[in-house]
Amino acid sequence: MKKWYRSWFNSPYYHILYANRDHQEAELFIDRIAEYFDLKEKDRVLDACCGKGRHSIYLNKKGIDVTGIDLSLESISYAKQFENEHLHFYEHDIRNLLSSNYFDYVFNLFTSFGYFRRENEDIKAIKAFAKNLKIGGILLIDFLNVDQISSNIQPEDEKYVDGILFKIQKKIENGLITKKINFHDDGSHYEFKEEVKALHLKDFKRYFELANLELLEVFGSYQLDPFNIDTSERLIMIVKKR
């Protein structure tokens, strides 16, 4: 069965629906990360699940050596037009090693984890992140806060973008946060879905131990506020390779 993320992330409708994502907020978050880690030009960053590369490109403008990887061939093909000596993009599965002990940082941003059905695949991805890092290297995972979402989930929503009415249904069931997306375009009906595992901090802590990673700090927002399990919208984890 074709995985939902392979069809949806390669669809032009994915980029239409999320075209209004706040680029300014994303860049401010990258600014804060760069300042927090004191990133330097010699540092090598792996942007795991980079999409069309907007965060990689912005990091590279700061002089950082960045490699972006993603499963979406459509996204990587688009991102490659921005490549330079210190910015490269590859179609690649995060469960597989890219370059052993090579990167100073691995960034997995904006809920780009928890897509795989089996837990051993999540663990495999975490272990691959660790293998890509040098000893003492840092992994940053930016995930959603499942506890806060459970209390504030909006079961139905509609968004009208570029002449298309997207009808969206959300639910949390069987350990998954599921979003169904229905719409019509040019006389045809389309239906896609997104599924993200409802992973908690305790789940990630277990994965980190299995990958010989040490959790250093947890933030709850893109402003790097302290994490609060009830109110924080994000679960941002800073992890070090032992």
Side-chain angles (χ1 to χ4, degrees), residues 27-237:
E27 290 185 357
L28 287 173
F29 180 42
I30 296 297
D31 287 340
R32 289 187 179 95
I33 290 172
E35 182 179 359
Y36 176 82
F37 291 125
D38 189 23
L39 294 182
K40 297 177 173 57
E41 289 190 12
K42 64 179 177 63
D43 290 333
R44 294 169 175 167
V45 173
L46 176 63
D47 184 3
C49 302
C50 66
K52 287 191 170 183
R54 61 174 178 153
H55 311 115
S56 296
I57 294 164
Y58 188 66
L59 267 172
N60 178 247
K61 287 180 179 178
K62 295 176 174 292
I64 309 302
D65 189 296
V66 185
T67 300
I69 58 172
D70 201 279
L71 266 181
S72 170
L73 177 59
E74 192 272 347
S75 293
I76 291 298
S77 297
Y78 175 86
K80 276 186 170 294
Q81 67 181 298
F82 302 101
E83 286 186 328
N84 59 50
E85 184 181 357
H86 298 290
L87 177 63
H88 299 91
F89 294 98
Y90 302 98
E91 182 188 5
H92 188 80
D93 190 321
I94 61 170
R95 291 168 288 188
N96 299 326
L97 175 67
L98 183 69
S99 297
S100 181
N101 300 309
Y102 182 80
F103 294 97
D104 299 287
Y105 300 90
V106 174
F107 294 163
N108 181 249
L109 304 174
F110 301 95
T111 316
S112 298
F113 197 84
Y115 297 159
F116 308 123
R117 274 303 183 102
R118 298 186 181 91
E119 184 180 59
N120 67 330
E121 294 179 292
D122 292 326
I123 294 169
K124 186 177 180 181
I126 294 291
K127 287 183 175 180
F129 290 161
K131 289 175 183 176
N132 281 303
L133 284 168
K134 298 175 180 177
I135 298 296
I138 297 293
L139 166 64
L140 182 154
I141 296 183
D142 164 32
F143 200 67
L144 45 78
N145 179 12
V146 173
D147 293 279
Q148 191 270 348
I149 285 180
S150 299
S151 303
N152 297 277
I153 194 166
Q154 188 175 353
E156 295 186 358
D157 192 14
E158 292 185 351
K159 290 185 179 181
Y160 191 75
V161 187
D162 285 0
I164 301 172
L165 180 63
F166 293 92
K167 296 184 178 182
I168 302 168
Q169 296 175 309
K170 298 178 186 177
K171 65 179 179 179
I172 301 178
E173 189 175 63
N174 299 323
L176 294 172
I177 303 169
T178 303
K179 182 187 293 185
K180 288 186 178 180
I181 303 153
N182 287 275
F183 56 93
H184 288 84
D185 187 38
D186 288 336
S188 296
H189 175 258
Y190 296 89
E191 180 175 311
F192 292 94
K193 70 174 179 179
E194 298 178 10
E195 285 184 348
V196 177
K197 277 221 192 91
L199 296 172
H200 299 263
L201 179 58
K202 63 180 181 180
D203 299 309
F204 282 103
K205 285 181 176 179
R206 184 161 50 85
Y207 297 168
F208 297 152
E209 284 297 322
L210 291 171
N212 198 29
L213 295 165
E214 177 186 359
L215 180 64
L216 299 180
E217 197 155 10
V218 183
F219 297 111
S221 75
Y222 293 138
Q223 290 73 42
L224 301 186
D225 297 315
F227 177 70
N228 182 293
I229 194 170
D230 297 314
T231 61
S232 294
E233 292 185 357
R234 307 304 301 172
L235 172 61
I236 300 171
M237 296 159 284

Side-chain angles (χ1 to χ4, degrees), residues 6-22:
R6 290 187 180 272
S7 57
W8 179 223
F9 290 163
N10 272 315
S11 164
Y13 296 107
Y14 169 80
H15 300 287
I16 291 172
L17 176 60
Y18 294 119
N20 62 344
R21 280 182 168 172
D22 193 335

